[in-house]
Amino acid sequence: SSGINAEYGYKVVYIVIISLILFVIAIAYCSILLEIIRPLKGNQPGRARKIGRKVVLVVGVKFVTWAVVAFIVIYSLLTSRVAVDSMWYEVVAITILPLNSLLNPVFHS
């Protein structure tokens, strides 16, 4: 019983930490976007739009890759009677999260 409560607590802490990190990343990207786009709006609106799309794409990919992890943990929390197979965590850790790192050079070039 205390093992189940400890596991539940770890999952809640994990979700809170991941959510805060994603929030900080999103705020940082938005502030970068605003700093870059403000000077370009008047004289280079096309370039400002292109940079805006790129930033939205970067933040969107980060959100999607980490949202999968968050979904699995939240599902596991809400259905505490049914344990989520650890294989799902491994699939995400081995396939989906590295895709984010793989795509970073493409986004930042």
Side-chain angles (χ1 to χ4, degrees):
S1 176
S2 67
I4 292 172
N5 289 337
E7 180 183 352
Y8 186 83
Y10 290 133
K11 289 177 183 177
V12 169
V13 168
Y14 179 79
I15 282 295
V16 168
I17 290 171
I18 292 295
S19 298
L20 288 173
I21 290 170
L22 290 175
F23 181 73
V24 168
I25 289 171
I27 295 296
Y29 272 111
C30 287
S31 67
I32 290 169
L33 178 65
L34 290 175
E35 288 296 317
I36 292 172
I37 287 182
R38 274 189 202 137
L40 296 176
K41 262 189 174 178
N43 55 359
Q44 296 177 330
R47 183 167 175 171
R49 225 175 292 120
K50 183 179 176 184
I51 292 170
R53 274 184 264 156
K54 193 177 245 188
V55 169
V56 167
L57 186 64
V58 168
V59 172
V61 167
K62 286 187 186 316
F63 174 78
V64 168
T65 54
W66 285 102
V68 173
V69 174
F71 175 77
I72 291 172
V73 174
I74 290 170
Y75 177 78
S76 166
L77 286 172
L78 294 176
T79 59
S80 57
R81 293 182 187 171
V82 180
V84 174
D85 189 2
S86 65
M87 177 205 60
W88 290 109
Y89 293 107
E90 294 166 12
V91 166
V92 169
I94 293 171
T95 58
I96 295 175
L97 293 179
L99 283 175
N100 184 16
S101 298
L102 180 70
L103 292 173
N104 275 335
V106 174
F107 295 143
H108 297 291
S109 61

